[in-house]
Amino acid sequence: MLKNKKMIIATMVFGMTATGSAGVYAGTSMEKISAFLNHSIGFTINGSSYTPVDNKGNALAPITYRDTTYLPVRALADVLKVPITYNAATHQVVIGTGTNTGSTSNLEAVEYSAAQKQAILTAFGSFQGFEKAYAPNQMVKGDAFQKVVASDDGISFLFEHMRVVISPRDYSAGYDSQEVQLSNGTKAKWYSPSTDNLMLGFSLDDRTVTISSPDKALNKAQMEKVAVSVAKLIK
């Protein structure tokens, strides 16, 4: 647990550089320093040894600069299942699901075109006994529905910042999960197949819906709101 404000600020700064957000500051607020990768510091998460890694699986080491240790915030947030996003407009790293990060006010309705609805109906129609089409009706503002894809075990709705999979299969089997109740009373669960991939899964009629945000543009509250919006497609 971080013990003081100095450590929190250090952690946030290193998290931004580790996730590629530092480019926002290039030529304005970036300051060149001489620091050290501190390979002597180890991590224990909930009693188990842990090695932070980036989104490509490369090991990360803390940085020590002027007696302050800078930790890999993205990697730690992922293993602790704490959502983290970066607001480029305000230059802020947002950690957790408090009042500010839990807002769902920036969600909007998904407006499917006639052609997109037909593509969705066709995708579901390729599954015998699973032809009834369902679709998410909410997304974050500025997002865009790209396409629907039918695979061997489900239908995937691909957005720029979100993925919704509707399948007869429950993908959470075998993973540690945290149960949550959605606003409509539905029981769902959060789980992470990998350190950088947080998913929300729940049962809907005869199928399982799985929601994720690969680029972490959606926080937990937003994904839970999207979950409630998944319903039978209105033709």
Side-chain angles (χ1 to χ4, degrees):
M1 184 173 182
L2 302 182
K3 295 183 178 180
N4 55 55
K5 187 179 294 185
K6 186 176 183 181
M7 180 64 79
I8 292 174
I9 295 173
T11 305
M12 291 172 67
V13 171
F14 185 75
M16 287 186 285
T17 60
T19 56
S21 300
V24 176
Y25 300 98
T28 56
S29 302
M30 295 291 287
E31 178 181 352
K32 186 176 181 180
I33 63 172
S34 178
F36 298 90
L37 289 175
N38 195 335
H39 297 284
S40 65
I41 294 179
F43 295 86
T44 299
I45 305 293
N46 294 326
S48 300
S49 178
Y50 169 69
T51 299
V53 295
D54 61 20
N55 58 7
K56 295 183 180 179
N58 300 314
L60 298 172
I63 287 177
T64 296
Y65 174 66
R66 292 185 177 178
D67 298 322
T68 297
T69 299
Y70 294 72
L71 303 177
V73 66
R74 169 70 72 185
L76 292 179
D78 286 341
V79 75
L80 292 172
K81 296 181 174 61
V82 177
I84 179 169
T85 56
Y86 177 68
N87 188 326
T90 61
H91 306 311
Q92 288 188 334
V93 176
V94 182
I95 302 173
T97 56
T99 301
N100 292 332
T101 59
S103 173
T104 59
S105 60
N106 61 339
L107 291 175
E108 63 182 4
V110 182
E111 300 291 345
Y112 296 105
S113 67
Q116 289 171 336
K117 286 183 178 181
Q118 185 56 53
I120 294 169
L121 292 170
T122 300
F124 277 95
S126 63
F127 283 81
Q128 185 175 1
F130 201 69
E131 295 92 349
K132 190 176 294 182
Y134 287 65
N137 292 298
Q138 291 277 326
M139 64 182 180
V140 292
K141 290 182 179 178
D143 203 351
F145 173 63
Q146 297 179 320
K147 61 182 177 178
V148 61
V149 178
S151 64
D152 292 338
D153 59 355
I155 309 296
S156 297
F157 289 79
L158 305 181
F159 293 75
E160 288 185 5
H161 302 298
M162 176 175 71
R163 179 172 183 172
V164 179
V165 180
I166 301 176
S167 170
R169 175 185 172 189
D170 182 356
Y171 296 98
S172 68
Y175 297 108
D176 293 334
S177 61
Q178 179 181 7
E179 190 172 285
V180 63
Q181 183 169 302
L182 304 178
S183 61
N184 62 355
T186 299
K187 290 184 178 180
K189 50 189 172 182
W190 288 103
Y191 63 99
S192 295
S194 62
T195 57
D196 63 346
N197 195 10
L198 186 63
M199 293 185 169
L200 177 67
F202 63 98
S203 296
L204 180 61
D205 297 335
D206 62 344
R207 57 205 68 202
T208 297
V209 180
T210 305
I211 300 174
S212 62
S213 179
D215 65 357
K216 299 178 176 63
L218 282 76
N219 57 44
K220 277 187 171 182
Q222 290 167 335
M223 283 194 276
E224 289 176 11
K225 185 69 173 178
V226 169
V228 174
S229 80
V230 179
K232 295 176 184 178
L233 181 68
I234 300 176
K235 300 179 183 179

